[in-house]
């Protein structure tokens, strides 16, 4: 496993996420309820858009946390090993998503629960 390449990919993705989170702060700001400026349907649309932005932000935050965990595992020389069973994670699995922390067996078992 070429850990250096995975580390670069993780750092690049983390930078993209952090840049996107900075620009997304405006989208999750509270919806203004000034009826003189915004009609009822427009407010409802704005609130729905805000809810979707918040849900997307939560998913991105989870991905950011996974990436940061993977990067710390690279530093501690634990990267590439399953956090559950300590077996090596298949390289093709890490190529698909270098932030994965479990082998395919443990991931499947977790899904079945």
């Amino acid at each position: 496993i070429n850990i250096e390449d995975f580390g670069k990919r993780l750092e690049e993705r983390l930078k993209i996420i952090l840049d996107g989170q900075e620009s997304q702060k405006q989208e999750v700001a509270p919806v203004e309820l000034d009826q003189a400026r915004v009609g009822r349907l427009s407010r409802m649309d704005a609130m729905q858009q805000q809810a979707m932005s918040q849900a997307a932000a939560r998913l991105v935050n989870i991905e950011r946390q996974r990436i940061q965990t993977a990067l710390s595992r690279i530093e501690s020389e634990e990267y590439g090993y399953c956090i559950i069973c300590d077996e090596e994670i298949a390289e093709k699995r890490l190529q698909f998503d270098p932030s994965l922390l479990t082998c395919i067996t443990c991931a499947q078992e977790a899904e079945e629960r």
Side-chain angles (χ1 to χ4, degrees):
I1 294 178
N2 190 345
I3 294 175
E4 191 174 306
D5 287 342
F6 289 122
K8 286 179 185 176
R9 283 182 56 197
L10 289 164
E11 288 171 0
E12 289 170 4
R13 180 64 185 145
L14 183 60
K15 183 181 179 340
I16 291 168
I17 287 172
L18 293 175
D19 290 347
Q21 284 181 329
E22 197 57 39
S23 66
Q24 195 176 43
K25 285 181 181 177
Q26 293 176 340
E27 293 179 20
V28 294
V31 176
E32 190 174 312
L33 295 177
D34 182 2
Q35 289 188 5
R37 294 181 58 205
V38 181
R40 181 171 172 237
L41 291 176
S42 295
R43 276 196 321 278
M44 289 173 62
D45 288 343
M47 289 169 62
Q48 182 180 18
Q49 183 65 37
Q50 179 189 38
M52 291 188 318
S53 293
Q54 288 172 340
R58 280 191 294 275
L59 292 175
V60 169
N61 198 36
I62 290 168
E63 182 182 7
R64 179 185 54 80
Q65 290 171 347
R66 276 194 4 236
I67 290 171
Q68 289 173 326
T69 300
L71 287 170
S72 69
R73 289 178 61 81
I74 288 173
E75 288 179 23
S76 65
E77 299 181 3
E78 298 173 337
Y79 182 77
Y81 294 93
C82 179
I83 61 170
I84 297 172
C85 70
D86 209 31
E87 291 294 319
E88 193 170 349
I89 300 171
E91 187 171 356
K92 285 188 177 188
R93 183 165 166 76
L94 290 173
Q95 286 172 349
F96 174 74
D97 182 352
S99 70
L100 292 173
L101 302 173
T102 58
C103 66
I104 191 71
T105 304
C106 290
Q108 287 172 338
E109 288 175 6
E111 261 187 35
E112 291 172 2
R113 292 183 201 147

